[in-house]
Amino acid sequence: VGIARSIYLSGMMGSGKSTVARAVAERAGAPFVDLDAEIERGAGKPIRELFAAEGEAAFRAREASALSTLLADATPRVVALGGGALLHRAVRLRALDHGIVVTLTAPAAELARRVAKDDGRPLLNGHGDRAARLQEIWDARAAGYAEAHAVLDASRASPDELAAEVLRLAAIDPIAVALGERSYTVDVVPGAAGEHLARALDRLAPSRIALVTDETVDRLLPERIGAPAAARAGLVRVVLPPGEKHKTLAAVERILIALVDAPVDRGAVVVAVGGGVVSDITGLAAALALRGLRWVAVPTTVLSMVDASVGGKTAVDLGAAKNAVGAFHQPSRVIVDPSFSATESDRAFRSGLAEVVKTALIGDGSLYEDLRAPGRAEALVRDREPDLVHRAIRSSIRVKAGVVSRDERELGERAHLNLGHTIGHALEAEGGFERLTHGEAVALGLVAALRIGVGLGVTPPALAAEVTDLLARLALPVDLDAEPVEKALRWVGYDKKRQGGAIRLVLVRGPGAVEVRKLSAGELAPLLKA
Ligand SMILES: NC(=O)c1ccc[n+]([C@@H]2O[C@H](COP(=O)([O-])OP(=O)(O)OC[C@H]3O[C@@H](n4cnc5c(N)ncnc54)[C@H](O)[C@@H]3O)[C@@H](O)[C@H]2O)c1
């Protein structure tokens, strides 16, 4: 079979991590590592004795160092981890980025039965009621264990079946958004949205499904996601008019009415198939309906694949105030089929690439270099070469998923995603949300952020020229001096990201490195002049 990345089996003692990991390794023809056995070999004594002699803290330090070695190595392995190996969030996020993490679990009584005769379990020693103790350990670790690419119940399947399930998952190579018990994956599945949507819905076991799309995307659905979703009994369907001007509370209300009329209960799942407008509206409706329904995003534009559908920000516009009414409401799954983008208009497709460039600049220097390579940008916009499109989308999602996992509520790092958006939004508003697409506005906003960065000595002038050239090669607008910048600045005051009187601007230091500076409106204007 073969695996592209390491697989880490995490979870409770007694869940069968080693047995399953061994089975996975065998099927995949990959090396198997038992982390506890590695530690015992290194220390020259059993873990029980290590615990007794050095205490838990010293054991955890050995464990962390053994794991670090594996995480620094690109060789794909199948690793059975100790139950506490991923307790540190920073290490867990590294593992999620480096490989596929699967949590194995089982009901506490079942785990207790499996470890009944085993006296080499320091965390259980001295506890009479092992099931109660195991439940206590699970409760303390549940949020961390949920931060995985999948959580599998080991009591419901044989080790062989579990191994097959783990390998099916590894073949999809999902990207994890780690948010405790609200964690989910973004599955990038070229040409296979229908099949993966059907499987995701099976796992979510909805009491009822509501499918929301817009008129344009609705015409593509039979061919792209086929019968699976449409054929489900009692499907609630809402087809919205397309376009930003319909991103309003009225659209949210239409969905809510359809859900209440159906009527759905709290077990329902709402599926958004469409661009960022559809997912922003649908996500908000899902947040509000019955105080919160689960939802799944199936983005169909590059822009919504790399940005709008990942991270749980949902919103509609209120007059000219863009995204003024919204909520954080994370989806339960995101299914990204890059081939959807083949039918996008040239203008919409290029707009999505503006967000790709932005994402590369904030967190993926190698994606930036990849885009800049000779002929690459041209091949992207002209031929939409599927491999290139796929890679650009996947890399961008990885950056966004990482940022959201570290800072869901935009208390810090998530603000980096606003690179190019402060002036971009202002220009978009100035154009009445019609003259420029969101992505075009972001391209111009990027040029503005580069110019400000150069003015403040943060951005190297050569880099500013290079990025501007890349945007132009992607057929995006870059002529900031032809834009009504001065007039547009009045909209900056409405930006949600303002703090007091200051405007927080994200500036580029280098490819993959940005910083936030606070400026007053008065300081901003002169920096934007050519
Ligand atoms: N929530 C977030 O974090 C976030 C992030 C970025 C952007 N956004 C929002 O996303 C919106 C922009 O998203 P968008 O650019 O996808 O716009 P969009 O949803 O309006 O889609 C653009 C157009 O393309 C059509 N379309 C969609 N998929 C298609 C396909 N596969 N083939 C042919 N046509 C297709 C749509 O019907 C629409 O007319 C903005 O409202 C923006 O605020 C949200």
Side-chain angles (χ1 to χ4, degrees):
V1 186
I3 46 173
R5 305 210 273 153
S6 284
I7 296 173
Y8 297 94
L9 285 173
S10 171
M12 292 296 284
M13 62 183 86
S15 61
K17 288 168 293 191
S18 301
T19 314
V20 175
R22 213 175 257 120
V24 172
E26 202 163 295
R27 282 168 177 250
F32 163 73
V33 177
D34 185 318
L35 196 70
D36 280 353
E38 287 294 300
I39 297 166
E40 291 186 331
R41 199 172 19 256
K45 52 181 128 171
I47 287 176
R48 181 168 26 94
E49 284 175 30
L50 263 176
F51 253 71
E54 302 177 2
E56 181 171 354
F59 167 74
R60 295 284 173 224
R62 285 178 185 271
E63 190 178 44
S65 122
L67 185 52
S68 258
T69 310
L70 291 176
L71 290 175
D73 187 344
T75 316
R77 298 184 168 85
V78 184
V79 184
L81 296 170
L86 296 184
L87 284 181
H88 268 293
R89 191 153 197 272
V91 177
R92 190 158 68 239
L93 293 185
R94 270 182 70 197
L96 284 165
D97 190 50
H98 184 260
I100 302 292
V101 177
V102 178
T103 297
L104 285 188
T105 181
E110 167 69 12
L111 297 175
R113 196 183 57 71
R114 294 189 186 187
V115 298
K117 296 211 177 65
D118 188 346
D119 62 357
R121 306 277 182 180
L123 294 180
L124 298 183
N125 287 350
H127 294 271
D129 184 346
R130 286 192 154 199
R133 172 66 182 148
L134 282 159
Q135 186 64 48
E136 196 178 288
I137 296 174
W138 169 261
D139 290 343
R141 294 178 177 178
Y145 278 156
E147 295 191 333
H149 291 95
V151 179
L152 302 180
D153 185 342
S155 70
R156 292 174 159 213
S158 71
D160 249 7
E161 288 164 340
L162 290 166
E165 180 68 29
V166 169
L167 282 171
R168 258 198 303 281
L169 183 77
I172 298 170
D173 200 4
I175 299 163
V177 181
L179 295 165
E181 320 225 21
R182 293 172 299 121
S183 299
Y184 56 96
T185 61
V186 182
D187 302 349
V188 185
V189 289
E195 173 197 336
H196 286 273
L197 175 61
R199 200 177 295 159
L201 288 173
D202 284 341
R203 277 197 82 94
L204 292 169
S207 57
R208 197 137 179 197
I209 298 167
L211 183 80
V212 183
T213 185
D214 71 17
E215 286 155 11
T216 312
V217 177
D218 190 50
R219 291 192 281 272
L220 306 169
L221 289 192
E223 191 193 331
R224 306 315 301 269
I225 62 172
R232 301 210 181 212
L235 182 82
V236 180
R237 262 175 82 78
V238 180
V239 182
L240 301 168
E244 182 77 29
K245 66 173 178 294
H246 298 290
K247 203 173 112 171
T248 60
L249 281 169
V252 173
E253 191 176 11
R254 261 191 69 186
I255 301 171
L256 293 175
I257 290 172
L259 293 170
V260 171
D261 275 356
V264 303
D265 62 25
R266 296 188 81 175
V269 170
V270 188
V271 183
V273 189
V277 167
V278 168
S279 58
D280 272 12
I281 298 170
T282 308
L284 181 56
L288 296 173
L290 311 183
R291 297 203 178 88
L293 296 178
R294 294 172 296 169
W295 71 291
V296 172
V298 185
T300 60
T301 62
V302 171
L303 189 134
S304 57
M305 294 178 203
V306 301
D307 201 352
S309 68
V310 179
K313 280 191 184 177
T314 73
V316 293
D317 306 332
L318 199 65
K322 198 172 149 65
N323 295 333
V325 181
F328 282 95
H329 186 47
Q330 298 291 342
S332 301
R333 180 72 65 96
V334 181
I335 293 166
V336 171
D337 180 349
S339 68
F340 257 116
S341 67
T343 48
E344 271 192 271
S345 70
D346 282 342
R347 202 175 169 198
F349 182 78
R350 291 193 304 255
S351 297
L353 297 179
E355 296 281 10
V356 170
V357 173
K358 173 206 79 176
T359 310
L361 282 173
I362 67 169
D364 190 341
S366 63
L367 171 60
Y368 172 73
E369 294 305 335
D370 196 19
L371 295 169
R372 234 168 52 74
R376 216 44 76 72
E378 293 74 12
L380 255 180
V381 277
R382 202 187 43 230
D383 312 327
R384 302 193 191 178
E385 244 175 54
D387 263 9
L388 269 179
V389 175
H390 180 186
R391 228 169 42 230
I393 289 172
R394 198 182 159 80
S395 307
S396 303
I397 295 171
R398 280 189 73 178
V399 171
K400 178 145 190 196
V403 170
V404 171
S405 299
R406 292 185 292 268
D407 177 26
E408 181 189 12
R409 296 274 162 162
E410 202 171 318
L411 303 172
E413 187 187 352
R414 188 162 181 176
H416 294 175
L417 294 167
N418 297 320
L419 172 63
H421 281 58
T422 310
I423 306 299
H425 271 165
L427 290 171
E428 199 180 357
E430 188 60 31
F433 297 101
E434 270 178 351
R435 191 174 63 83
L436 295 171
T437 65
H438 180 68
E440 287 165 351
V442 167
L444 288 158
L446 279 172
V447 174
L450 292 163
R451 189 176 281 182
I452 296 165
V454 170
L456 292 172
V458 175
T459 308
L463 178 68
E466 203 181 274
V467 176
T468 306
D469 175 59
L470 171 60
L471 293 167
R473 284 167 58 207
L474 293 168
L476 286 160
V478 292
D479 188 0
L480 193 59
D481 301 320
E483 291 293 316
V485 177
E486 220 156 305
K487 268 177 81 189
L489 283 181
R490 66 201 162 113
W491 299 109
V492 170
Y494 289 100
D495 201 282
K496 290 185 300 305
K497 282 89 190 184
R498 72 181 182 272
Q499 270 185 344
I503 298 154
R504 283 190 298 161
L505 275 170
V506 186
L507 303 176
V508 183
R509 269 205 316 265
V514 290
E515 67 176 60
V516 179
R517 287 274 179 104
K518 283 188 189 172
L519 292 181
S520 69
E523 289 168 302
L524 193 59
L527 286 166
L528 282 165
K529 295 238 161 66

